[in-house]
Amino acid sequence: GAVVSQHPSRVICKSGTSVKIECRSLDFQATTMFWYRQFPKQSLMLMATSNEGSKATYEQGVEKDKFLINHASLTLSTLTVTSAHPEDSSFYICSAGEGGGVYNEQFFGPGTRLTVL
Amino acid sequence: AQSVTQLGSHVSVSEGALVLLRCNYSSSVPPYLFWYVQYPNQGLQLLLKYTTGATLVKGINGFEAEFKKSETSFHLTKPSAHMSDAAEYFCAVSEVMKTSYDKVIFGPGTSLSVIP
């Protein structure tokens, strides 16, 4: 099946710094990528949807200036958490879809554990 | 808007016993339905999905689920639990967007424990 990778798998940073998380589709072109956030013992919350070459669509309540998303190519999307604070500590998961047609299966990355001190 | 509920945040079964994880959804249009499994500190793995056609869907690791439109349900079952089935299970529904990519809405999850 299609493979999605994320880098880094785990990151610890100081409060006030910015952190970039990469999401790559390894063996397919992803026209659409999704970013999720998961708090401990909770479900995945969709943060934003990005299409290659266009601006991301953010879900209600998600600060677009706080969570910058770039989808510059068909195989790479990045999420930058700007001026991170302890409350941003979470598990971030991306998924990618191949696009085309009404139904597009999403393939999930392994996640990135962010800890802000 | 579509939504997903999962009855029971935690389910415990004995090894070899039947696994039943419940999922109900709300949708104004025919949904696409999914079950995902998540092991600790890992991403999600697709167990099975329903899009169209046969309402009984078979997935990996011996799991299956049945789409029942009249009950708006998509319960996940496995005849005999194995220790390796202990994980978090998420039911999800796909919302077809006008822009032709699908937004997936996840249920709250059910943690499955398997007792030896």
Side-chain angles (χ1 to χ4, degrees), chain B residues 17 19 27 32-33 45 48-49 53 55 57 64 72 74 77 82 88 92 94 97 102-103 106-107 112 114 116:
Chain B
V19 176
S27 175
Y32 299 134
L33 296 160
Q45 181 181 11
L48 48 78
K49 64 187 178 192
T55 56
V57 181
E64 62 181 39
T72 61
F74 191 57
T77 60
H82 192 273
E88 191 80 18
S94 183
M97 306 294 290
D102 300 343
K103 187 163 70 171
F106 286 88
L112 176 65
V114 181

Side-chain angles (χ1 to χ4, degrees), chain A residues 38 43 102 104-106 113, chain B residues 38 41 49 100 102-103 107:
Chain A
Q38 185 181 31
S43 187
V102 175
N104 308 308
E105 180 173 344
Q106 292 185 30
R113 174 77 58 193
Chain B
Q38 185 181 34
N41 294 309
K49 64 187 178 192
S100 81
D102 300 343
K103 187 163 70 171

Side-chain angles (χ1 to χ4, degrees), chain B residues 16-38:
Chain B
L18 171 72
V19 176
L20 171 60
L21 303 183
R22 299 179 186 276
C23 172
N24 289 87
Y25 68 91
S26 67
S27 175
S28 58
V29 298
Y32 299 134
L33 296 160
F34 310 83
W35 274 100
Y36 289 91
V37 62
Q38 185 181 34

Side-chain angles (χ1 to χ4, degrees), chain B residues 25-111:
Chain B
Y25 68 91
S26 67
S27 175
S28 58
V29 298
Y32 299 134
L33 296 160
F34 310 83
W35 274 100
Y36 289 91
V37 62
Q38 185 181 34
Y39 297 97
N41 294 309
Q42 294 187 29
L44 274 68
Q45 181 181 11
L46 180 67
L47 280 176
L48 48 78
K49 64 187 178 192
Y50 168 80
T51 53
T52 59
T55 56
L56 181 62
V57 181
K58 294 186 184 298
I60 62 172
N61 302 338
F63 285 95
E64 62 181 39
E66 186 171 11
F67 169 57
K68 291 187 177 180
K69 184 179 179 181
S70 61
E71 298 178 7
T72 61
S73 69
F74 191 57
H75 301 330
L76 181 71
T77 60
K78 181 174 180 177
S80 177
H82 192 273
M83 295 298 293
S84 61
D85 294 327
E88 191 80 18
Y89 291 81
F90 293 98
C91 181
V93 62
S94 183
E95 180 179 296
V96 178
M97 306 294 290
K98 292 180 181 179
T99 47
S100 81
Y101 54 84
D102 300 343
K103 187 163 70 171
V104 178
I105 308 299
F106 286 88
T110 297
S111 178

